[in-house]
Amino acid sequence: MKIIITGSLGNVAKPLAQQLITEGHDITVISSNESKKNEIESLGAKAAIGSITDLDFLNKTFEGADAVFAMTPPNMGGVNIVEETANAGKNYAEAIRKANVKRLVMLSSVGAASPIETGPIKGLHRIEKSYNDLENTAITFLRAGYFYINFFNDIPLVKNAGIIGGNYPENASIPLVHPTDIAKAAAEELVKSPEGKNIRYVVSDVRTPSDFAAVLGSSIGKPELPWVEFTDEEYLNGALQGGLPQEMAELYTEMGKGMRTGVVQADFIERGSPVSEGVKLEEFAKEFAVQFNS
């Protein structure tokens, strides 16, 4: 199959490209970074260098494709993030429609079922709605859990304050996922021939923040590492002090609130909380320890 992968050589796109190339597919990887061209080609893929905000570029790149893996960057420019994320999805939808692509797999998120109180995930909710209007394309929405690798952002807090935390309680049930598990699921979906619009949750584990503290803490020799529940204001101020732009900090604060109230997890739970085979928290903790000690 001729398959287009967006997401450059990121944590999901690179292992996805590698797997599909191994299976013998004709792979094109889209990247906005010219310096990635050689690395993409060294994998055995074609490189399409351009911006996903450039509709003409997308039209040209999607032409003749059998399938597209569509993902949007988590921080579209730092301002108007939800709007810009949604607009990128509209561009994908228009190019898919014009190229008459028959198969689309979208990287979405747990929480995308809700139009409110989910922070940056609201952009993915709007993209799902844009794709639902594609009449001749079979779509799978891959709703992924909270990325394990986001815990790397907590390392300074652990080192400097001896705590880990967020603006949700230690007993909340949080769906988690490893990027390689997303890549495996996407590879499976891209070569299927389903009909209509389908939702597949990609979740490697479901754990509580008290587990995060215990398991990650133990991996770095801090088995008593506490999980601290911050107020929304405390979390926002901490994110700003950590260097996040105001809008992104506010969106992440809202997402944490959505985890606290259960809005983010609601549809996942209603669909039976399906957990895939894949990397469990204890296994990821080894990666966390390497990053912590590097």
Side-chain angles (χ1 to χ4, degrees), residues 2-6 8-9 17 21 26-51 57 60-62:
K2 181 179 179 181
I3 301 173
I4 311 298
I5 296 175
T6 66
S8 190
L9 292 178
I21 290 164
D26 177 354
I27 303 302
T28 297
V29 176
I30 291 178
S31 178
S32 61
N33 190 343
E34 178 70 37
S35 67
K36 294 290 186 184
K37 185 172 187 292
N38 289 340
E39 187 180 354
I40 291 169
E41 292 175 346
S42 71
L43 295 178
K46 300 181 181 72
I49 307 300
S51 172
F57 164 72
K60 180 180 177 183
T61 305
F62 287 6

Side-chain angles (χ1 to χ4, degrees), residues 274-287:
V275 176
S276 320
E277 291 294 322
V279 177
K280 303 306 176 188
L281 180 61
E282 285 76 7
E283 193 175 344
F284 167 73
K286 298 171 188 174
E287 295 178 43

Side-chain angles (χ1 to χ4, degrees), residues 202-268:
V202 187
V203 172
S204 310
D205 206 351
V206 179
R207 304 295 283 271
T208 64
S210 59
D211 289 335
F212 306 162
V215 175
L216 299 180
S218 294
S219 76
I220 55 172
K222 299 178 185 292
E224 303 303 318
L225 181 71
W227 175 268
V228 175
E229 182 182 356
F230 303 118
T231 66
D232 292 341
E233 184 178 7
E234 288 169 341
Y235 183 86
L236 176 61
N237 289 335
L240 293 172
Q241 289 169 14
L244 273 186
Q246 180 79 29
E247 184 176 337
M248 182 55 83
E250 290 174 354
L251 287 170
Y252 276 125
T253 301
E254 183 182 285
M255 182 172 71
K257 179 183 177 183
M259 292 179 179
R260 184 175 75 236
T261 63
V263 170
V264 169
Q265 305 97 311
D267 186 75
F268 172 71

Side-chain angles (χ1 to χ4, degrees), residues 54 66-67 105 122 137 143 146 148 185 204 208 218 222 250 271 290:
D54 182 346
D66 297 304
V105 176
K122 289 182 291 191
T137 303
R143 290 186 179 167
Y146 183 81
Y148 283 123
S204 310
T208 64
S218 294
K222 299 178 185 292
E250 290 174 354
R271 291 175 184 268
V290 170

Side-chain angles (χ1 to χ4, degrees), residues 99-164:
N100 197 27
V101 177
K102 297 298 185 185
R103 183 77 181 112
L104 169 64
V105 176
M106 173 203 172
L107 179 55
S108 187
S109 173
V110 170
S114 174
I116 57 168
E117 296 181 7
T118 60
I121 301 170
K122 289 182 291 191
L124 299 175
H125 171 84
R126 289 170 59 179
I127 291 174
E128 285 195 12
K129 293 192 74 172
S130 294
Y131 292 162
N132 269 321
D133 293 334
L134 292 169
E135 295 179 358
N136 300 313
T137 303
I139 302 171
T140 296
F141 301 112
L142 283 184
R143 290 186 179 167
Y146 183 81
F147 279 37
Y148 283 123
I149 56 176
N150 288 335
F151 288 119
F152 294 153
N153 298 328
D154 295 314
I155 288 176
L157 182 65
V158 176
K159 286 185 173 180
N160 297 329
I163 62 173
I164 187 171

